[in-house]
Amino acid sequence: MRAEESTARGTAASTALAHQGLDQLTRREREVLLLLADGLGNRQLARELGIAERTVRAHLASVIQKLGVQSSLQAALVGDRCRSIIRSGIATEEGIADYR
């Protein structure tokens, strides 16, 4: 098996595992993940959500653990790839058709 194929399979498998973890995220964690995927840093996330930066770090730690990824960057990539799924989950919880 070539290295590219191995990497592609590994990425697909990790994305599938992370996708399963999306169901475990709270509404706020989903909001944090979407903003992280938009490229916001912790301080910007805190301002946008009106919460303390320490709370942002706690949410990010929980998101990383639930998604089974190893870093905020990996979480951001999952958030970007699964943006529509995350938005629909938030919209379903709020009973609205579109989010953000």
Side-chain angles (χ1 to χ4, degrees):
M1 176 174 3
R2 290 198 266 161
E4 298 90 24
E5 292 173 356
S6 177
T7 301
R9 287 185 182 152
T11 302
S14 63
T15 300
L17 288 173
H19 184 274
Q20 292 173 351
L22 291 174
D23 293 339
Q24 298 175 19
L25 300 180
T26 66
R27 180 183 176 278
R28 183 59 111 187
E29 289 168 348
R30 290 176 187 165
E31 291 172 343
V32 167
L33 182 56
L34 286 175
L35 292 172
L36 183 68
D38 287 342
L40 274 65
N42 289 2
R43 185 172 292 166
Q44 294 167 311
L45 278 163
R47 284 191 197 135
E48 178 75 22
L49 297 171
I51 59 178
E53 195 171 340
R54 182 176 179 168
T55 306
V56 168
R57 288 192 303 269
H59 285 311
L60 285 175
S62 181
V63 167
I64 289 167
Q65 185 268 323
K66 288 178 181 179
L67 293 181
V69 296
Q70 296 177 1
S71 68
S72 293
L73 176 58
Q74 289 177 338
L77 291 172
V78 170
D80 187 55
R81 289 179 182 159
C82 301
R83 191 178 297 273
S84 61
I85 295 167
I86 298 166
R87 283 188 180 144
S88 67
I90 293 171
T92 300
E93 287 179 7
E94 293 183 353
I96 56 175
D98 193 18
Y99 180 75
R100 211 165 163 210

